[in-house]
Amino acid sequence: MDETMDEDDTPAVPPPPPEVRFAVLGTVRVWRDGTELHAGPPQQQALLAVLLAGAGRTMSLSQLIGLLWGGTEPASATNVIRRYAGSLRRMIQPDLPRMASGRWLTGGGGGYRIDVDEDSLDLLRFRALYARAREARDEGRIDRAVRLYVEALALWRGPVAAGVSAEVRGHPLFTQLDNERLTVAVEAADLALRHGGAGPVLGSLQTLADQHRLDENLHARLMLALSASGRQAEALDVFHRLRDRLRTELGVESSAVLGEAQRQVLAMAASPARTRAESEQRDDQQPDQLLDRQPDQPLDQPLQRRPGFLLPRPAQLPAAPADFVGREAEVDSLLRQLTAGERTPPASPTMIISAIGGMAGVGKTTLAIHLAHRVADRYPDGQLYVDLRGFDLNGSAMTPAEAIRGFLENLGVSPQQIPDGLDAQAALYRSFLADRRMLVLLDNARDAEQVRPLLPGSAGCLVLITSRNQLSSLVAAHGAHPLALDVMSTESARESLVRRLGADRVDAEPEAAETIISLCGRLPLALSVITARALMNPRLPLGAMAGQLLEAKGSLDAFEGADRATDIRAVFGWSYRTLSDDTARLFRLLSLHPGATFDVRSAAALDGLTVRRTRPSLAELVRAHLVAEEAGGRHRLHDLLRAYGREAADSYDTADARDAAHDRLFRHYVQTAHAALRLLDPAHLVTVPAGIGPPATAGPAGVDAAVRWFQEERLTLTAVVRQAVQDGRPHDAWRLARLLDSMYERVGHWHDWADLQLTALAAAQQSGEPLGVAHAHAGLGRAHSLLRRYESAEEHLSQALVLFEALGDRTGQAHCLRQLGWLMTRTERDVLAIEHTRRALDLYRAAGHLSAQADSLNALAWYQASLGAYDDAVASAVRSLLLYRRMAAGGGSGHGNTWDTLAFAHHHLGNLRRAVRCYERAVRLLRAGGDRYNEAGSLSRLGDTLALAGAVEDARARWRQAVGILTPIDPDWAAEIQEKLSATVSAS
């Protein structure tokens, strides 16, 4: 019997031809029956890219030679092209006989072409979707048109033929395709903006703006799209960045198109959301018509903004001083300046800057806060306050960038939205304050350079600055009004005593009162310390107090650094000597604390006592006005009192005792950070450096408490790391920084994380520890990845990988490869992402690290799903879950994330009921682990699956939960989900 016939003599059905797909909108890729093929060496990939860009046209040999070599071709160019064409044929059809004509790549001596259609080439699919989108637009089916535009743009994974040499990609064949993409994106943006739904096109606009860095029309549309999505701060940052690039690179000013877009954004940020009727009233006006307006042509209404979006109104002023007296002349002067500024004509409004200077302890901050509260109602958009710590004894003055990032977060900008670099951050800050009336109090400034980036860029704001130094350059360059604050008058000082101690007590001993005032040098800080002591001893006559002060006077050298000969140290010394021994010791040791504020636990650690024994001493210091109590159980030392305490510690405590206190405090922060890490990383994915010791037994009680602790202590922890370096303990510095990695990653202060890792890197290099250098590079790589500094992230991670390999540290290598895999997905190198993750998985297996194996298998599953290999993704996710089942401690967030990945794969396989069950399991695990960010992601995707299954109301409930979680931490993502909610309302 013929082998080609079956028993019924029915001809055997030949096997179906393989399914072949090509991609050129991004990196050049080829798939055969769902498996991605390697397209060969770079020149062969370039040939394939040229043929795909031709999209079915025959390309002659001369055209191909010109495109590939640009006039510098070798003599063998024709043979090279033929050889590459043969290799491509055999790659696509491995069973093809030699010299046979292929099914897809055809041609020969006259040239070559690839036979494709819209189902097999993404470029043709893109053009077909674009044609359908325009057809739907012309027919008035706007929702369908926008969806088709978005679907077309989603096919682009990067610049056309990314990875091919720039010389080849510079040919008009390719630049024309990039222009096609630009045209479609602009049309899509115009249509979406006109109908109030810019979110779907936002990602494409952002990507194109990065590639077309000087295209004003494109950037203007990006600004409008960002603003319409409620992201006004980012929109204004786009404006400032482009304007600066135009000035620097082209030497020109931005056009009216960009200026009008800026005006639209600012108008929208200051106005409430449009009603439906107002939107319909504006629907006859195209976005390109709005952009073509001249600046003097006002628009009737701002663009649509995100529903429910309100600009936050910060109220950061400290409490008003209760016993403020005197300073009438100074207050009147400042109020006159304020009134004069408000009376200036609208065409030339003035931003008022008042610089209050004077010696330490003279009452600059008290005056500034008092004045700020008196005029706060004139600034309805809120008040910002920051202590710049300009004269901190530990040298940890706040940098302008740190201050601006704090302001931006209080203005509603999430840490993820804050741009990189001081200039960009300052531009965003100024943009956000533009056209707003705000009061800004910059306390304890070191010099004008620390202050200048914090000044608003437009009128309508009041800025109050306090400093011990004369800020002359602010007066000259910014028109600041200087006010030199002297000590209180005798009358005001007496009134202060009367206000606090009562008239009867002061009038009964007028001479003693005058002596106390004289010995305090009429300094408000010194008077507050004395009156606090008098209030604690109501039966002690003022005369006795004055006598004790007279005895104390001269017992210490004159206070150095004061602007007049006032023995304020004698006043402090008198109050200090009335403290109990335990409290006096605590006061001295608190002066060694490097942070701006501290809690009772760190105070107890310094003293080597329990919290229970420390509380009474801390309360005694508060009653004596030697320590100030702030909200949330935090405490603060005035700079002068810190200086006095430091001097007293040098006098009373040995160097060994002071070093021991430093060690106890450092160990407290290390052990508490270790305890917080264990709560946030129950799967032990983060490698704890040797020598750290066990976590604190009295650390945070749960995940939420761990996050709160880090938020409260974040700046102090940075100061502790820097202090360790200054004290010659770099070995300790980088180890503490390592413990903080996962906390920074979760909370989102990624700029600060990068700064801290730079300190850790220098420390590890100083101590000559390659392991520390490797960990610091790895931390920098992860921080830079999240900040989208992808090139430097890859550089740092690669350096870390080399160091870990040299050290034979398998786990360190695996961590780097795992992070490099994540980075590859962000730079559209999905195949490399899978390769790196598989290598990481092998290393984790060799090291016996179960939780990391499970985490890597989940990552692998996600990458496979992203490439459309959903069955493979299910298999990898199931293997990950089996490993988590073997772990006694569970997998924390990683366990929940794996259920999410499995759900995602089932969703795309059409197994919707199974996907819903997996998503619900993911949400429960992530919620239990306190991972609110990923919980929101799972809720959003669960809503998508429910909506596809027809359970729209259930879907909307999940989306609303996700929006509630994300609004304070990632408003951009929250806005995208809100758009899904709005779309379902419109559809219903």
Side-chain angles (χ1 to χ4, degrees):
M1 185 185 300
D2 192 325
E3 293 181 358
T4 63
M5 304 288 289
D6 61 17
E7 294 179 356
D8 298 328
D9 289 339
T10 303
V13 177
E19 180 189 9
V20 176
R21 292 186 296 115
F22 302 89
V24 72
L25 305 183
T27 51
V28 181
R29 302 170 71 178
V30 187
W31 294 266
R32 184 181 63 243
D33 288 335
T35 301
E36 186 169 0
L37 309 175
H38 182 56
Q43 197 80 343
Q44 182 171 306
Q45 292 184 37
L47 173 62
L48 178 59
V50 169
L51 295 172
L52 293 174
R57 292 177 297 170
T58 298
M59 308 287 288
S60 69
L61 282 173
S62 60
Q63 285 178 306
L64 293 172
I65 290 171
L67 273 161
L68 294 178
W69 283 282
T72 60
E73 68 273 13
S76 59
T78 299
N79 290 333
V80 170
I81 289 177
R82 287 173 176 161
R83 185 170 67 251
Y84 283 151
S87 296
L88 288 170
R89 281 179 177 143
R90 289 188 294 277
M91 173 195 72
I92 298 168
Q93 295 177 264
D95 298 328
L96 188 69
R98 189 170 180 81
M99 304 302 293
S101 178
R103 156 71 179 80
W104 285 273
L105 202 163
T106 62
Y112 294 91
R113 76 170 185 272
I114 287 186
D115 290 328
V116 286
D117 56 21
E118 69 172 275
D119 292 326
S120 56
L121 176 61
D122 57 359
L123 172 58
L124 294 180
R125 174 73 174 162
F126 167 77
R127 288 172 173 167
L129 288 168
Y130 174 42
R132 292 170 201 159
R134 300 194 76 180
E135 181 180 355
R137 181 198 64 185
D138 295 339
E139 293 172 354
R141 295 183 293 166
I142 302 304
D143 289 342
R144 173 173 169 76
V146 171
R147 284 197 300 272
L148 289 168
Y149 274 121
V150 171
E151 188 178 351
L153 290 167
L155 293 171
W156 288 80
R157 297 164 291 101
V160 63
V164 173
S165 69
E167 292 78 11
V168 174
R169 287 193 65 256
H171 191 275
L173 178 69
F174 293 103
T175 58
Q176 178 184 345
L177 297 182
D178 281 328
N179 289 334
E180 282 186 43
R181 180 190 188 188
L182 187 61
T183 299
V184 175
V186 169
E187 284 188 20
D190 289 347
L191 187 65
L193 283 167
R194 180 186 176 191
H195 293 273
V201 300
L202 196 48
S204 294
L205 290 174
Q206 288 174 313
T207 300
L208 284 167
D210 289 339
Q211 296 172 16
H212 301 268
R213 299 174 63 253
L214 301 174
D215 189 320
E216 291 183 79
N217 282 315
L218 174 64
H219 281 75
R221 284 169 171 84
L222 173 59
M223 290 171 61
L224 295 176
L226 285 167
S227 189
S229 300
R231 297 160 64 176
Q232 291 83 9
E234 285 186 71
L236 293 168
D237 186 48
V238 168
F239 169 81
H240 287 288
R241 285 174 179 266
L242 178 58
R243 186 185 62 180
D244 292 344
R245 278 198 298 272
L246 290 168
R247 289 173 176 173
T248 303
E249 299 179 24
L250 300 182
V252 298
E253 292 297 323
S254 55
S255 69
V257 169
L258 205 64
E260 174 58 11
Q262 184 206 26
R263 198 195 69 75
Q264 294 277 345
V265 173
L266 293 173
M268 196 210 66
S271 303
R274 286 192 295 154
T275 64
R276 181 182 296 272
E278 290 169 334
S279 297
E280 292 170 355
Q281 182 182 355
R282 295 274 311 285
D283 276 352
D284 60 343
Q285 206 164 19
Q286 294 278 6
D288 51 352
Q289 292 173 330
L290 298 180
L291 293 172
D292 290 340
R293 279 185 183 271
Q294 295 303 312
D296 59 349
Q297 292 180 274
L299 296 173
D300 295 332
Q301 298 289 341
L303 291 175
Q304 184 179 10
R305 60 189 293 169
R306 187 171 80 223
F309 179 83
L310 294 174
L311 290 171
R313 184 185 181 277
Q316 293 185 304
L317 289 178
D323 298 315
F324 184 84
V325 297
R327 305 300 192 192
E328 292 86 358
E330 291 87 350
V331 171
D332 288 345
S333 172
L334 290 168
L335 290 176
R336 282 196 303 272
Q337 294 167 13
L338 182 59
T339 303
E342 290 176 341
R343 288 175 178 169
T344 54
S348 57
T350 303
M351 177 179 65
I352 302 170
I353 305 174
S354 290
I356 304 171
M359 65 181 290
V362 79
K364 301 181 296 295
T365 297
T366 301
L367 173 61
I369 293 173
H370 171 79
L371 180 69
H373 278 280
R374 282 195 55 173
V375 302
D377 61 337
R378 305 189 193 187
Y379 298 91
D381 293 319
Q383 314 98 40
L384 295 171
Y385 169 85
V386 65
D387 178 4
L388 295 171
R389 302 189 69 194
F391 300 91
D392 184 81
L393 288 178
N394 298 301
S396 57
M398 186 173 287
T399 66
E402 290 171 335
I404 285 177
R405 291 198 290 267
F407 280 169
L408 288 173
E409 289 177 24
N410 281 283
L411 288 167
V413 183
S414 69
Q416 292 89 336
Q417 294 174 304
I418 296 175
D420 185 30
L422 175 60
D423 291 342
Q425 292 164 7
L428 178 58
Y429 165 70
R430 290 192 298 270
S431 298
F432 219 82
L433 265 60
D435 295 332
R436 301 182 74 183
R437 290 185 58 78
M438 295 198 70
L439 189 157
V440 182
L441 204 171
L442 308 175
D443 194 17
N444 202 8
R446 181 183 61 247
D447 51 35
E449 294 306 312
Q450 189 184 25
V451 165
R452 192 169 284 112
L454 306 177
L455 299 179
S458 59
C461 294
L462 168 64
V463 182
L464 299 174
I465 307 167
T466 72
S467 178
R468 297 183 200 174
N469 293 328
Q470 293 182 348
L471 306 179
S472 305
S473 62
L474 288 185
V475 177
H478 297 276
H481 302 275
L483 175 64
L485 198 62
D486 203 347
V487 296
M488 301 175 76
S489 66
T490 302
E491 293 76 14
S492 294
R494 189 178 190 281
E495 184 183 353
S496 176
L497 287 180
V498 170
R499 186 78 64 88
R500 296 177 184 181
L501 302 180
D504 292 344
R505 191 172 181 185
V506 174
D507 290 343
E509 299 181 83
E511 293 183 359
E514 289 181 8
T515 301
I516 289 172
I517 290 169
S518 175
L519 290 172
C520 287
R522 290 178 282 147
L523 276 173
L525 176 63
L527 280 169
S528 70
V529 172
I530 296 299
T531 53
R533 199 67 203 168
L535 288 170
M536 292 167 62
N537 297 274
R539 296 184 179 181
L540 180 67
L542 296 185
M545 292 175 59
Q548 293 173 7
L549 277 173
L550 282 170
E551 293 177 5
K553 181 174 173 60
S555 63
L556 296 172
D557 296 334
F559 185 81
E560 297 177 359
D563 292 340
R564 56 175 60 225
T566 301
D567 196 355
I568 191 173
R569 288 170 65 211
V571 175
F572 292 164
W574 173 79
S575 186
Y576 165 77
R577 281 189 290 277
T578 64
L579 300 173
S580 65
D581 289 344
D582 287 346
T583 303
R585 169 182 160 84
L586 177 62
F587 173 72
R588 297 194 304 269
L589 296 180
L590 285 174
S591 70
L592 306 177
H593 196 294
T597 63
F598 53 88
D599 65 2
V600 65
R601 290 179 177 81
S602 58
L606 268 169
D607 209 5
L609 300 174
T610 64
V611 169
R612 184 177 180 181
R613 287 189 59 187
T614 303
R615 284 191 192 279
S617 294
L618 196 55
E620 185 180 349
L621 290 172
V622 171
R623 290 193 299 270
H625 278 222
L626 294 176
V627 166
E629 187 171 17
E630 298 189 346
R634 310 291 295 178
H635 298 79
R636 182 185 298 269
L637 270 176
H638 188 283
D639 287 349
L640 284 183
L641 288 164
R642 186 185 292 271
Y644 177 79
R646 185 73 59 86
E647 219 175 64
D650 290 343
S651 300
Y652 289 96
D653 302 305
T654 65
D656 288 343
R658 296 194 301 273
D659 289 344
H662 275 300
D663 287 338
R664 288 192 296 269
L665 183 66
F666 186 85
R667 195 160 57 248
H668 159 74
Y669 281 115
V670 167
Q671 291 174 347
T672 309
H674 193 178
L677 175 62
R678 289 284 71 90
L679 289 166
L680 299 175
D681 178 36
H684 298 269
L685 291 176
V686 176
T687 304
V688 176
I692 286 295
T697 55
V703 171
D704 290 342
V707 172
R708 283 196 304 273
W709 173 81
F710 176 71
Q711 289 279 38
E712 291 173 354
E713 297 285 7
R714 182 173 58 83
L715 296 177
T716 297
L717 288 163
T718 299
V720 169
V721 171
R722 291 172 179 165
Q723 185 70 44
V725 175
Q726 293 173 11
D727 291 345
R729 300 158 59 191
H731 172 89
D732 292 329
W734 74 258
R735 280 169 167 75
L736 176 55
R738 169 62 179 155
L739 289 178
L740 305 178
D741 280 351
S742 65
M743 300 177 212
Y744 271 108
E745 185 168 357
R746 175 183 287 248
V747 172
H749 298 276
W750 300 328
H751 298 85
D752 296 336
W753 183 16
D755 291 343
L756 181 68
Q757 287 301 330
L758 282 174
T759 301
L761 178 61
Q765 290 170 336
Q766 179 184 340
S767 62
E769 295 178 89
L771 180 61
V773 174
H775 278 305
H777 275 303
L780 278 166
R782 185 60 177 154
H784 285 199
S785 295
L786 294 169
L787 289 168
R788 299 183 182 179
R789 307 178 197 168
Y790 295 135
E791 288 187 10
S792 60
E794 188 169 354
E795 180 181 342
H796 282 296
L797 288 169
S798 298
Q799 290 186 58
L801 180 60
V802 170
L803 287 167
F804 283 127
E805 286 173 347
L807 292 165
D809 187 334
R810 290 177 174 175
T811 302
Q813 294 173 56
H815 285 339
C816 286
L817 288 165
R818 171 75 176 80
Q819 296 301 333
L820 281 167
W822 185 90
L823 181 61
M824 294 302 105
T825 67
R826 295 305 183 271
T827 51
E828 299 179 350
R829 290 176 282 178
D830 295 332
V831 174
L832 270 179
I834 290 178
E835 290 179 9
H836 284 312
T837 306
R838 288 191 187 280
R839 286 181 60 197
L841 182 58
D842 290 341
L843 287 165
Y844 285 135
R845 283 173 179 148
H849 200 319
L850 278 184
S851 59
Q853 290 176 53
D855 178 69
S856 296
L857 281 167
N858 175 44
L860 182 61
W862 185 261
Y863 303 153
Q864 289 166 332
S866 298
L867 288 171
Y870 301 117
D871 289 319
D872 292 341
V874 168
S876 296
V878 168
R879 290 167 62 201
S880 174
L881 291 172
L882 290 173
L883 285 175
Y884 279 125
R885 185 178 296 176
R886 291 169 54 189
M887 295 162 50
S893 295
H895 195 182
N897 287 332
T898 304
W899 280 105
D900 178 271
T901 303
L902 185 58
F904 181 80
H906 280 310
H907 172 105
H908 287 276
L909 286 169
N911 305 325
L912 299 186
R913 300 182 80 179
R914 186 171 293 177
V916 167
R917 289 198 299 271
C918 292
Y919 275 134
E920 289 174 342
R921 186 79 172 269
V923 168
R924 287 196 297 271
L925 286 166
L926 292 166
R927 185 175 296 159
D931 191 343
R932 301 285 281 168
Y933 190 78
N934 283 314
E935 177 193 342
S938 291
L939 284 167
S940 174
R941 288 184 284 276
L942 173 57
D944 297 342
T945 303
L946 289 167
L948 187 62
V952 177
E953 285 307 312
D954 289 339
R956 288 173 53 76
R958 302 310 190 281
W959 288 334
R960 278 193 293 268
Q961 288 179 296
V963 169
I965 294 171
L966 289 170
T967 296
I969 56 178
D970 194 338
D972 296 345
W973 194 2
E976 293 173 9
I977 300 171
Q978 182 65 50
E979 286 176 1
K980 291 191 284 191
L981 278 164
S982 302
T984 56
V985 170
S986 300
S988 63

